Amino acid sequence: MNQPTLDSARKYYQGGKATGYEGKRSSRAKWTLEYECLRGLLRSVSGTLIDVPVGTGRFLPLYKELGLKAAGVDYSEEMLLTARAKHPNDILWQGDVTSLPCSDGQFDAAVCIRLLHLVAPAEVAPVMAELFRVASRHVIVTIPLDQTEYVRGRSQVHVRKTIMSCVKHPWALSASLLIMKEKGVPNYMLHFVR
């Protein structure tokens, strides 16, 4: 099976993928659990936040509810069109997770949900470095873990090891929440603080 890469993820989310994206997934238990886990972790966050990839903007209402001033970045212009139609007053940029259009420490927090399982092992470190670069206090990511290297064509086991190798002082792992086991694969939300 071909190893997933950022480039394959970028191509996958082009075109018509944005149409019906949330409708096909919003009834899944994992989506509700991700939302509640993120809500719990964000209770310790204040100020500004960047969500990358923001996708169709499913977490934007949560950020507002918690009093956070959020911006979103996505590579897919189609996903952004859907997000902008639903959230016309939000700051949404087209950009790439490896070179975000932001200055160092511009945001108090960076959130990256449902991306790291789609990238190759060598691509995890640049993504994490960019998240740590633009966030001054918090980075929250999700990852699936399994004992095998590939599950359903996606690299799994390398992600946690690679992420943890990216964490250097003054950053540290603050929380690791089990979201759920999906088809036997545990999914986690990790919260790093500075």
Side-chain angles (χ1 to χ4, degrees), residues 113-182:
I113 308 296
R114 292 183 173 251
L115 175 70
L116 292 172
H117 66 290
L118 298 175
V119 305
E123 295 172 319
V124 173
V127 170
M128 290 301 298
E130 190 66 352
L131 295 172
F132 286 133
R133 181 186 72 77
V134 301
S136 64
R137 301 229 347 109
H138 305 269
V139 171
I140 298 171
V141 299
T142 56
I143 57 169
L145 295 175
D146 192 25
Q147 297 307 307
T148 58
E149 188 172 348
Y150 292 97
V151 175
R152 296 186 311 277
R154 296 175 178 168
S155 49
Q156 307 288 319
V157 81
H158 76 84
V159 175
R160 186 180 180 104
K161 291 177 189 173
T162 306
I163 286 175
M164 296 313 293
S165 72
C166 298
V167 182
K168 308 274 190 255
H169 180 77
W171 290 95
L173 180 62
S174 170
S176 177
L177 299 179
L178 175 65
I179 299 168
M180 69 178 295
K181 285 189 176 181
E182 184 177 32

